[in-house]
Amino acid sequence: MRLLSRKATCNTHGQDSSYFLGWQEYEKNPYDEIKNPTGIIQMGLAENQLSFDLLESWLANNPDAAGFKKDGQSIFRELALFQDYHGLPDFKKALVDFMAEIRGNRVTFDQNKIVLTAGATSANETLMFCLAEPGEAFLLPTPYYPGFDRDLKWRTGVEIVPIQCTSSNGFQITAPALEEAYLEAQKRNLRVKGVLVTNPSNPLGTTMSRSELNLLVNFITAKGIHLISDEIYSGTVFSSPGFVSIMEVLKDKKCENTDVWRRVHIVYSLSKDLGLPGFRVGAIYSNDDLVVSAATKMSSFGLISSQTQYLLSALLSDKKFTKHYISENQRRLKQRQNLLVKGLEKAGISCLKSNAGLFCWVNMKHLLSSNTFEAEMELWKKIVYDVNLNISPGSSCHCTEPGWFRVCFANMSEETLKLAMERLKSFVDSINMSSHQRLKNSRKKSLTKWVFRLSFHDREPEER
């Protein structure tokens, strides 16, 4: 008799991806400036730790919120008791207003159309349960966040079909790539229920162009399918071009109250923009009343605590603070990204031009021993075990071209980032030195053979 379920014993979670394996190696030997200065530096984790001081300063200046008080009176008991899964109205209002502020108030959001979830992971999975049956498919442009293989597929049974994007146009989505992915799904007898994109992109660190977004809207209109826009990095855009939300495109195309309007859904969280992944605050925004109703019921399996909602409601309602935080956080992200890019340049490494996110998409093709994914993994292992840097290989993001890596820059101090770049430069220098020595030895060997042949042919015939 089977004692455990198939789900408990299956191996489709994705935990064996090099993306997660790198984390495991880091946890065995984590870098610490004092306790373990030669340990592994974590550059595979997209956390925003650059603006904690701003949040801590607000907490210090607003002790009532942090102490669960209202007008000086404790509301601890009220918050400690059961709250229904619709969420606190004040928090939902503050969250949709914050989402609008990040988008320059070019669009607004209705708090009655938002569903609170325990992070974006829960939001994305909930949408899969709402929009697709097991064995149906969503199309995702490559490269994409490795965790989607877990979040979208593991419990839902939904399949992912990649939209193959390449470096030839900066990994932008094209009409032929969309059609090719759709046809590939049909060949596999998979019914396509929608497209999911991350904007800004993880792992590219780029915003989607308006033309790409228009292309997507036209595509889902023609196919009669859904579009999920994961916009959890929308507040991290630190340089032009600016962020364009899918809601702006729908508004510009006058799609309000149409079928397409109801088939577009947004995922958001405070994990990246506010740097609060531990608070587990995510959200689904949908114009489809049935999706909102079903997702709200499902949210009972992953609620946000009332204490968290109350605290963040007060913080996000402070418009003076949020305005300063958004601009200052973006300034710091740009400064830190520049530091990484310059450090990479000193090591002779380039990266895709980015304008958002907490990472860069780095090109290390010239360091591969061959143009293969096997060579990529060989290089990745050297960087993790010899250089003691954990970065994410492009293959874990389903990139079609070997040699790309995602490198995070916002989850460490400036001094740690500089040390990481020093380690990487020393590694590249050693590779270049070895290559130079091999080339020198090869030339020396060739020269010796040439001199030998020349002296042999110059002898008199009777001496041969």
Side-chain angles (χ1 to χ4, degrees), residues 452-463:
F452 174 77
R453 287 198 301 270
L454 185 64
S455 61
F456 180 79
H457 289 293
D458 284 346
R459 294 175 184 169
E460 293 296 327
E462 61 271 17
E463 292 178 338

Side-chain angles (χ1 to χ4, degrees), residues 165-172 401:
C165 303
T166 69
S167 61
S168 61
N169 69 343
F171 297 97
Q172 291 189 17
E401 304 169 18

